[in-house]
Amino acid sequence: AFSGGSNSAPQSAVDFTRPYYKIINRLSANFALTADMCLGLLAGDIKRKEMLSGRLADIHAHLFIASAILKFFEHSKKTEAERLHAQLAIEKSLYTAQEAFYDLFANFPVGVAAGMVKFICFPFGRSLKKPSDQLKQQVANSMMEDNAFRQVLKKHVYYNTNENDVTGRMESTFNLLLE
């Protein structure tokens, strides 16, 4: 809708996640319209316009990533460190999706159609900004603390604490700094 998208969000959504669901809903509707324009005007030629189809894939992927981040956050302990990481990842993903829209519109071979769809999708221009340096600094600071979220992340990656191993030097040094 012209008002900025659907307000619907899962019942499990909290105050932090609810605005992001609204943005994802709006961008998903924009994606549907944009994909219909591409397929309607280019039909089978969309396969040969690899950069355009790649941008559609980027939009779709980043919407999926943002949804997955929200789902992960909803099933987490919802600590401040988790919220900061989720905010940074979601803002970066949604901004990247928005920029893929703008790149697609700028390079679409039928300029009039791209301009109309761009106006419908983004009537007030770019609404999403890059994550701020302040947010990035807060996330970096939280990564330098031994908190519960850091422990959760360590479950999903290979690491060791052997200072003679290339992969273990960082964790070993981190542990020395905590002492």
Side-chain angles (χ1 to χ4, degrees):
F2 196 74
S3 64
S6 168
N7 283 321
S8 64
Q11 290 181 345
S12 59
V14 295
D15 289 341
F16 165 69
T17 60
R18 194 170 308 311
Y20 292 117
Y21 278 111
K22 183 176 179 178
I23 294 168
I24 290 170
N25 288 338
R26 180 174 54 83
L27 291 180
S28 294
N30 291 352
F31 175 74
L33 178 63
T34 303
D36 285 349
M37 174 194 68
C38 290
L39 292 173
L41 294 176
L42 299 178
D45 287 342
I46 191 74
K47 290 181 180 179
R48 287 184 288 285
K49 305 281 187 188
E50 292 179 14
M51 296 295 281
L52 293 178
S53 62
R55 289 183 178 111
L56 285 172
D58 289 345
I59 295 165
H60 187 255
H62 282 282
L63 290 173
F64 181 81
I65 289 167
S67 298
I69 293 164
L70 290 174
K71 189 71 170 172
F72 183 83
F73 181 78
E74 284 179 15
H75 291 283
S76 70
K77 295 177 182 173
K78 297 178 182 65
T79 65
E80 181 64 12
E82 289 169 325
R83 188 195 61 77
L84 288 171
H85 279 80
Q87 183 179 354
L88 177 62
I90 293 168
E91 287 182 7
K92 183 171 175 51
S93 192
L94 293 176
Y95 176 79
T96 302
Q98 172 188 262
E99 293 308 300
F101 273 110
Y102 272 85
D103 289 345
L104 186 144
F105 296 140
N107 292 287
F108 195 75
V110 184
V112 173
M116 286 176 38
V117 172
K118 178 181 170 184
F119 178 73
I120 292 169
C121 292
F122 299 98
F124 303 112
R126 288 176 166 90
S127 59
L128 302 170
K129 306 287 185 237
K130 288 182 182 180
S132 69
D133 289 346
Q134 180 183 3
L135 176 60
K136 292 176 187 177
Q137 187 65 48
Q138 289 174 315
V139 169
N141 290 339
S142 77
M143 289 172 60
M144 295 305 296
E145 299 170 1
D146 193 19
N147 55 45
F149 185 62
R150 191 171 192 285
Q151 297 305 317
V152 169
L153 290 179
K154 285 169 52 174
K155 290 180 185 177
H156 302 289
V157 296
Y158 171 77
Y159 79 97
N160 68 51
T161 56
N162 182 353
E163 59 191 37
N164 295 321
D165 183 38
V166 173
T167 59
R169 286 188 190 124
M170 289 294 285
E171 188 67 17
S172 176
T173 304
F174 176 75
N175 288 331
L176 286 172
L177 288 173
L178 292 178
E179 294 176 359

